[in-house]
Amino acid sequence: MSRILLSLGGNALGTDFDELVESVGVVAKPIVGLIEAGHEIVICHGNGPQVGMIKSSIDHGRAGYQQPSVPLSEAVAMSQAYVGYHLQNAIENQLHAHGLSKTVCTVITRALVNADDPMFQRPTKPIGAFFTADEAEVLRGSGKTMIEDSGRGYREVVASPMPIDILEKEAILDLVSAGHVVIAGGGGGIPTVCKDNWYKAIDAVIDKDYASVMLAADTACDAMAILTGVEKVSINFNTPHQQDLDELLVADAEKYIVAGQFPEGSMLPKIRAAIRFTTSGPGRRTLITSLDKLVEGLNGQTGTWIVP
């Protein structure tokens, strides 16, 4: 038996409620297959589309764009709750169908960040609704950073600082050790800063893959599976010389990063997260594969394993 952190992409979960219910039903089947095989499971999920939907819906429902918009931290907390509860239902339904009894729970999770993280000086992550140029100018006056987004209008952008701690880590570890299936760190966690022993949420976006690494280490996982849109990691991707990789040594992964083999907005953070977890303790390995190949990947039949 091993303890495995599953890192689910937010895009795979769908944006609206009907899509979400359908997708978690698909996600639950391989997860319960792993539980049935005796593995302990911790789940972290992305929330980009879900937070965008929440924030856009509430912001556009205001009487006017000059009213304060919903804080991003509130939208992240909402997404953790509603994605988590749908995952709980879907996984427990599959457990019942297999004659298994186990509690599935969601922990609303805060991720501590450094208030002096240099990324706060370089906000790059678009969030929420689209605005006209005139509306964007008014919002800039209220302290928002606004950029033109691919000809579709103007959007707010926020920073993506590096998480330095999971504030609920001890409670999460206790739940996992007691045999529960735990969903935590949704969307990378609610970004939180601490000054004079006082916690305060801050508008930012934390990369879910980096939070997954911390969560996996904090819960003493033996392996981490990063689930994405491709079955295997490739070099020379989408060229006649594409090479799919079954296994990737950390040293080779670092060379490929320097060579620019992994795109910044897609595979690169996953490779960096895999390196972080694989090197975080003896015997740890990271699998990168697609959701539908999760069980086969953990059995060594497909996917890419990042190893020391």
Side-chain angles (χ1 to χ4, degrees):
M1 181 179 73
S2 63
R3 185 174 292 173
I4 304 167
L5 187 289
L6 302 180
S7 183
L8 307 175
N11 288 320
L13 296 174
T15 300
D16 63 35
F17 299 109
D18 290 337
E19 286 179 345
L20 182 63
V21 171
E22 182 178 351
S23 61
V24 296
V26 173
V27 166
K29 293 178 181 178
I31 291 175
V32 171
L34 295 176
I35 295 170
E36 192 171 31
H39 299 291
E40 295 178 333
I41 302 299
V42 185
I43 301 168
C44 186
H45 63 82
N47 70 347
Q50 295 80 28
V51 161
M53 180 270 291
I54 292 169
K55 192 162 171 50
S56 295
S57 298
I58 296 177
D59 287 352
H60 274 155
R62 304 272 176 154
Y65 65 89
Q66 297 185 49
Q67 287 191 359
S69 60
V70 61
L72 183 57
S73 56
E74 307 293 315
V76 172
M78 291 179 202
S79 74
Q80 287 188 3
Y82 98 81
V83 173
Y85 114 78
H86 279 301
L87 279 168
Q88 287 173 219
N89 279 351
I91 294 170
E92 288 198 357
N93 286 341
Q94 285 297 318
L95 286 168
H96 295 158
H98 286 75
L100 301 172
S101 179
K102 199 173 269 285
T103 299
V104 187
C105 57
T106 299
V107 177
I108 303 302
T109 310
R110 296 164 297 161
L112 188 66
V113 301
N114 189 334
D116 296 323
D117 190 308
M119 293 305 294
F120 282 116
Q121 305 305 315
R122 293 186 287 120
T124 58
K125 295 285 187 179
I127 59 164
F130 289 90
F131 297 94
T132 66
D134 289 341
E135 290 169 343
E137 195 59 37
V138 173
L139 290 167
R140 285 192 188 99
S142 66
K144 304 288 187 184
T145 301
M146 308 295 293
I147 63 164
E148 199 281 325
D149 189 346
S150 305
R152 297 176 293 177
Y154 289 79
R155 298 176 78 189
E156 180 184 358
V157 289
V158 297
S160 183
M162 186 67 69
I164 57 177
D165 198 12
I166 301 294
L167 295 179
E168 289 73 24
K169 63 185 178 185
E170 293 181 5
I172 294 167
L173 178 58
D174 286 346
L175 288 165
V176 175
S177 299
H180 305 303
V181 179
V182 180
I183 303 157
I190 302 164
T192 304
V193 295
C194 184
K195 184 177 181 180
D196 299 328
N197 221 24
W198 190 270
Y199 293 117
K200 179 182 178 182
I202 191 167
D203 272 6
V205 172
I206 293 177
D207 192 300
K208 174 264 306 177
D209 292 319
Y210 295 145
S212 294
V213 174
M214 298 188 68
L215 194 59
D218 289 341
T219 53
C221 287
D222 305 292
M224 181 169 78
I226 299 176
L227 304 175
T228 185
V230 293
E231 186 172 338
K232 294 185 179 184
V233 175
S234 303
I235 55 174
N236 303 314
F237 181 70
N238 210 22
T239 74
H241 304 291
Q242 178 173 323
Q243 180 183 351
D244 297 338
L245 305 174
D246 298 322
E247 186 175 272
L248 181 57
L249 296 173
V250 166
D252 289 335
E254 290 172 339
K255 291 176 184 175
Y256 290 141
I257 289 173
V258 172
Q261 283 285 349
F262 306 123
E264 177 76 37
S266 55
M267 190 56 72
L268 181 59
K270 293 171 175 51
I271 295 293
R272 285 180 169 155
I275 292 172
R276 281 173 177 261
F277 178 71
T278 298
T279 57
S280 66
R284 288 177 171 170
R285 305 185 303 155
T286 306
L287 171 70
I288 298 179
T289 193
S290 55
L291 174 64
D292 60 323
K293 297 295 181 181
L294 171 60
V295 175
E296 293 93 330
L298 289 170
N299 288 333
Q301 298 169 322
T302 190
T304 302
W305 282 100
I306 288 77
V307 297

